[in-house]
Each structure stands twice: as structure tokens, then as C-alpha cells.
Amino acid sequence: MSRKLAGFLVADAVSYSARMEENEAKALAALSNSRAIIDGILAEHQGSIIATAADSVIAEFPSALDAVRAALDAQAQLERDEADNFRFRIGVHFGDVVQQDGTLLGDGVNIAARLEPLAPNGGIVISGVVADQIVGKVDARFASIGKHSVKNIARPVDLYCWPETAAKSYRRRKLMRLWPIATVALIAVASVFAWFARQEEVDQGMPTGPKIAVLPFEEVGAGAEEVFFADGLSRDINAYLTKFSNLFVFSLSSTREYSEVDCATIRRELNADFILSGTVRRADESLRVTTSFTDARDCVQLNAPGPFTRDLSAQSVIDVQIEIARKVVSEIGSADAPIFDAKLARAIEEKAPENLNAYECVLLSYWFYENFEPDRHRRARDCLMGAVKSDPDYSLAWSRLAFSHIESKKYSIDTKDSWDEDSLRAAQRAIDLDPANPDAYYALAIRSQMVGDAPDVFANHARKAIELNPYDSFVLADLGTWMAYSGQWDTGKEWVTRAKALNPKHQSWWDFIWQLHSFLQGDYSASIAHAQTVNLPGNYMVQAALTAAHAMNGDQEMAERTLEKVLELKPDYAEDPRQPFRARGMEKVLVDKLMEGLTMAGLDVPT
């Protein structure tokens, strides 16, 4: 093991995932051309590539000056080249690293990696150490953007930005955070800037570090109608592990297809580093949980948490979940694992229900999303109504009840006229009990869109939900979808794309907004192609949008055939074909265009 000082450059392509979604072949060709330019320039400036990913590169240089000159030349050449290149963000730092077995470790590399996401599109951010070493040696001007705290680095870092014009936005965001708010007008202005600043953080943040796949635990001896308990226990363990920003935890739905631990397959398909699985048995008022913990990199069994044998109570369930999560992060060596021993564990326990029945009602409400069967909704709804009476201080039961009222409207299941007031009252009660309950803000966001509140009401609730729970792929995808419905297509796509990274085996409906947006833009062929990716022949909304696209694309035969399918799926659809689209708060221009296409297909759309 040896130490040395070196310059480090980290470059990452902007909007890589989004461009891959739109046209994979075209995006790969553009990336290949962009990387050829960057790699050549790095070599010209004595840079050595030490790591690469699909859309990023890390290079080492003998000096800070060489690294900065390479960054400037790369950005200039990418701008000059006539090809449809990617734009890149670049971070540069000069610092101390440890060389061990050919791998470079330490703050020299880490800080450069933290600076890259802060750079503007097509721009560069450098540390103060680098700025000091290049004074008078480069023609470009780097403007100070002040001290910034970067993830997992103890002290704030002095940062400088190129082009210098981009520095204004950093200073403006900082000013808005410090500016005393004295009038209603100033409050309105500050909220706009704060929204964009926080939105940037939400969109850029992704968990890092070892990748963990939690397989749904198997419930031994349970019937088909009772497996929700083990499934929910797995979901909560998964959620606790996502509390650590330096652990990448796959969404539970992305691991659902693996009924057993096939280490090689999971490693190959998910690129997972670790696998956690287990069994649950409930019998005679007792709970027994066993686990298996595997290092997927070499398929070696590690020290697994448990087994646990406890009395069957809500407190026992929470205790077992916390202990499993604690032992997992300790085994992996997570840098922020100690927080689980005190503050985080105490917060989880304080929010726990007083009785097991209330907890089971919450698990039932999530079970509904597996197949959206009306009877599952009714079972969960009735259970939650009892839960908030028997355990009135259980915040999550209240927010789940809010969703139950919302779902009754969304899916037309026993909808009450008072569903909107009932959902609002339940969500607000959940927040009164626990202001940090992301599920409650999630419910308020969806409800606000459905009742036609101003767009900023939805956006504020959605942002708050994601700030409190940034790594739940389902919530990210759902709120991203509703964000797109409201007309914020780019933001919606970014959120859904981020959700896909957390859940490689995501549900196909996550592509629905691409189908709708292509239709709105008049690219009917692309809309039809996206409908094939969505691949939901039993969903009448997807099929209605596909009908309109076929009609607008001039294929009357397919339009009529698809319309027949829509009316088979929902015989009363013709009575109010706008309703399902309006209920989701979609833009009027989109709904009107869909109705135009359906009319061309032969549907008698009421005026």
C-alpha cells in the first residue's frame, strides 16, 4: 500500500438514461463518439483512465493543471463537433490517495466524484485546491461559488465553476436561502427559487455503494390470502436499509421473480453485490424469522442475522426488522451504520403501532397494489377503518386510509361522494401525528391533482414526499407519472428514469407517460411503439390512447379494432371517455387531442 498526490477528473454524461429510453441505438452511437473525443483528449494531457461506466469516466493526472486543461479541451471539442454528442458535467480535484492492489482510494477520488453532479451541463466544477494551482496558467476564468457541503466529506469544500456565467445561479440559490422574507411577494419569489434548488437535488441524488437485493421473505405454512405478512415484513426491512445513502437497495418488486436464491442469476441480471432472503412462520402466538445473507460477488454465505423467535406482537416485529437491518449494514461495513444503533432505531420505534392488527392492516393496503383486485381494496379499507379506531396515534394507518379513499375514486371501487374530504382529513391527521411521514405527503400530492388544485400544490407535496423518502422506486415512478400528467413532462420522465435505476425489473406501466407524450407531440408512430413497451392489453386507458394514436396515424383498421378492445374491457367507456384522463389531472390539450383521435376511430365522444 502506497500514498501519492494526484489530480482527478470525473465526467458524466447529461440525460444519458432519458436518451437511452428515447432511442437506444442513437444514444449509444452518440455516447461512443463522445467518449472517443474525451478519451483522446485525456491521453493528450497525460491522463490515465482508472474507471469507467456506461456514461462516465474517472481519470488520474500528474497535476491539477493537466486535469483542468483536459476538462476544458474536452468540453470545447464536444461543443465544436458537429455530431449529436452528449454534454458532460465534469468535476476536478487534487488530493491524496492510497494505492492498494492497483486501486486508488481516498478523498482525492471521492471529492472529484462529489463535485461532478454540481457542475452545470457542459461545464466544470473544481475545488479550491485546484483553483489555487491553475491561477494564471489557463485562459478560462473559474468563478467562485463559495463553500459547499458534499456527501460523506466532513468539511465544506471551496468550489469554483466554469463557465463563470453559470456561477450566478449558485449564488442566487444561496442568497435565496439566506434572504430575510418580509412580504408575501418575497415569500412567493423565494418559494420558486427554493423549489428549483431542491428539485435539482432530488433529481441528481442516487444511492451509492454496495448493491443489496432483498428477496421477498417466504411465509411458511400460510395460505394464499395471508402471505401479505411476510411480504410486508420484507418491504419494511428493505425500506430501513434505504435509510443509508451509501447503500444501493433494489426495490423489492425488482427481486420478486426470484423465488429462490440463484446467486449467479441475481448477480448477472441485477449486478447485485449482496442478497438477503428469509422465511417467516407465525404459529401459536409466536413469530420465527430466519435469514440467509449471501455475498453475490463470489456466492459465499455470510453471517446471517438471526434466527429470531419472539412473541407475535407489533413490537417484536419491529425489533426483528431493526435487528436484521442493523446486522446487514454492520456486515457490509456501511460508513453511517452507527446511526442505526440510536437515533434512527429510536425514530422507527416511536412511529410503530401499538398493536399487531393495525400493522397488518397497513401491510394489507400495500398488498392491493400487487393486482389491484377490488376485494383486496375492500379488505384493506375495512381493516384500516378499524385500525385508526383501535390505534388512533398510528400515523401510517391514517395515511394508508387516505390512500384508500383516493383509490376508491381512481379505480371506481365503492366511491363515496365525500372521498376527497375523507382523504384530506386522514392525510392531515397522519401529518399531525408524524410530520415526517412521506406517505401522507404522497397522498396529498395525488389527491391535489385529482381534485384540480393549482399545479404548485401538487408539486410541493410531491417534492416533500420524495425529500422524506428519496429511494422508494414505486413512489418516484408514480409521482413522476403524475408530474408528467400535469404537463411537467421532463421532470416526470427524470423521476421515472431514476425509479427505473432503483428497480431494473419495474412494472411496464412506468412507460405510459412516454406513450402519452409522443402522442401529444404528434409522433404517433413513437406513441404506438411505446404502447407495445407498456404492453397492457387489459388496461382500457392504455388501449384508448393507443386507439387515438392509430387513428391519428392513418391506420383506421387498427384504430377500430383497438377501440373494440377498449369497449370490451370497459363497456360503459363511451358514456364519459374523458373521465379517466381528467381524473388524473391530465392537461386539457392532451385530453382534447385524445378525444379527437377516438372520434376519428369511430367513438361517439360526448361534447
Side-chain angles (χ1 to χ4, degrees), residues 289-300:
V289 180
T290 63
T291 66
S292 174
F293 193 39
T294 307
D295 187 333
R297 296 167 295 189
D298 50 18
C299 294
V300 171

Side-chain angles (χ1 to χ4, degrees), residues 56-382:
S56 63
V57 60
I58 303 176
E60 175 197 0
F61 293 81
S63 72
L65 181 58
D66 289 325
V68 172
R69 284 175 172 168
L72 289 167
D73 286 356
Q75 296 290 35
Q77 183 58 38
L78 288 169
E79 185 70 23
R80 285 194 301 266
D81 193 87
E82 295 181 357
D84 184 22
N85 291 316
F86 277 86
R87 303 189 74 189
F88 280 74
R89 286 185 292 260
I90 298 179
V92 178
H93 180 60
F94 184 84
D96 181 61
V97 289
V98 174
Q99 187 167 1
Q100 184 176 25
D101 298 329
T103 302
L104 296 177
L105 307 168
D107 284 351
V109 180
N110 294 341
I111 292 178
R114 300 304 184 205
L115 301 192
E116 173 271 311
L118 299 177
N121 294 353
I124 306 165
V125 164
I126 64 175
S127 62
V129 174
V130 173
D132 290 341
Q133 296 183 46
I134 66 169
V135 173
K137 298 175 183 177
V138 296
D139 293 332
R141 292 191 58 186
F142 285 79
S144 172
I145 57 175
K147 291 183 179 293
H148 285 251
S149 296
V150 295
K151 189 163 59 176
N152 295 339
I153 303 299
R155 291 178 295 179
V157 181
D158 277 311
L159 300 184
Y160 292 76
C161 170
W162 176 90
E164 62 177 332
T165 53
K168 294 180 181 178
S169 64
Y170 293 91
R171 287 195 290 269
R172 182 169 62 243
R173 288 200 297 268
K174 187 173 184 179
L175 176 63
M176 293 311 298
R177 288 195 296 268
L178 299 175
W179 199 359
I181 312 282
T183 66
V184 173
L186 287 178
I187 291 173
V189 173
S191 66
V192 171
F193 281 114
W195 157 251
F196 283 112
R198 288 190 296 264
Q199 183 60 47
E200 179 178 276
E201 295 170 3
V202 167
D203 291 341
Q204 291 178 350
M206 282 293 289
T208 60
K211 296 183 176 181
I212 305 174
V214 180
L215 274 58
F217 283 26
E218 177 187 358
E219 184 144 6
V220 180
E225 293 301 303
E226 301 300 325
V227 295
F228 69 88
F229 185 86
D231 194 72
L233 186 142
S234 316
R235 184 187 58 80
D236 284 349
I237 293 171
N238 188 285
Y240 296 157
L241 290 173
T242 65
K243 301 292 183 182
F244 302 97
S245 60
N246 56 349
L247 296 180
F248 189 113
V249 186
F250 288 104
S251 167
L252 200 65
S253 59
S254 68
T255 64
R256 195 170 300 283
E257 69 180 60
Y258 304 108
S259 57
E260 57 185 33
V261 182
D262 183 344
C263 176
T265 300
I266 295 173
R267 171 64 179 175
R268 182 179 66 254
E269 295 185 358
L270 296 181
N271 194 28
D273 298 306
F274 299 93
I275 303 168
L276 177 68
S277 61
T279 63
V280 179
R281 180 186 289 274
R282 292 180 291 165
D284 299 326
E285 301 302 317
S286 67
L287 172 72
R288 181 171 175 80
V289 180
T290 63
T291 66
S292 174
F293 193 39
T294 307
D295 187 333
R297 296 167 295 189
D298 50 18
C299 294
V300 171
Q301 291 295 310
L302 302 173
N303 292 326
F308 304 92
T309 302
R310 306 285 172 85
D311 64 295
L312 189 57
S313 67
Q315 187 60 52
S316 293
V317 172
I318 300 298
D319 288 345
V320 169
Q321 291 171 334
I322 291 176
E323 189 63 22
I324 291 173
R326 177 187 290 123
K327 289 190 174 182
V328 166
V329 295
S330 298
E331 182 77 22
I332 293 173
S334 172
D336 56 0
I339 194 175
F340 222 117
D341 294 330
K343 184 178 179 181
L344 185 57
R346 188 163 56 250
I348 292 171
E349 290 171 347
E350 287 173 353
K351 298 174 184 178
E354 293 183 0
N355 62 72
L356 186 63
N357 288 338
Y359 177 70
E360 288 184 343
C361 294
V362 166
L363 301 187
L364 271 173
S365 71
Y366 288 111
W367 197 43
F368 165 68
Y369 302 138
E370 293 302 313
N371 59 14
F372 298 93
E373 288 182 356
D375 285 344
R376 283 193 181 185
H377 167 85
R378 295 184 180 102
R379 181 180 174 187
R381 176 199 61 201
D382 294 344

Side-chain angles (χ1 to χ4, degrees), residues 523-525 528 548-556 600:
D523 191 347
Y524 306 119
S525 296
I528 293 166
H550 279 309
M552 301 287 266
N553 202 41
D555 192 339
Q556 188 66 21
M600 291 173 62

Side-chain angles (χ1 to χ4, degrees), residues 543-603:
Q543 297 304 308
L546 178 58
T547 299
H550 279 309
M552 301 287 266
N553 202 41
D555 192 339
Q556 188 66 21
E557 181 181 351
M558 281 300 299
E560 293 174 358
R561 190 184 307 171
T562 311
L563 179 59
E564 289 178 3
K565 179 68 175 178
V566 173
L567 298 176
E568 286 178 13
L569 293 169
K570 188 171 178 57
D572 62 348
Y573 177 68
E575 295 176 9
D576 190 358
R578 295 181 179 84
Q579 189 277 332
F581 300 102
R582 288 188 304 201
R584 286 155 176 81
M586 294 188 193
E587 295 178 285
K588 184 177 185 300
V589 63
L590 172 59
V591 177
D592 289 347
K593 192 168 186 177
L594 288 167
M595 295 306 106
E596 180 184 352
L598 288 167
T599 300
M600 291 173 62
L603 185 69

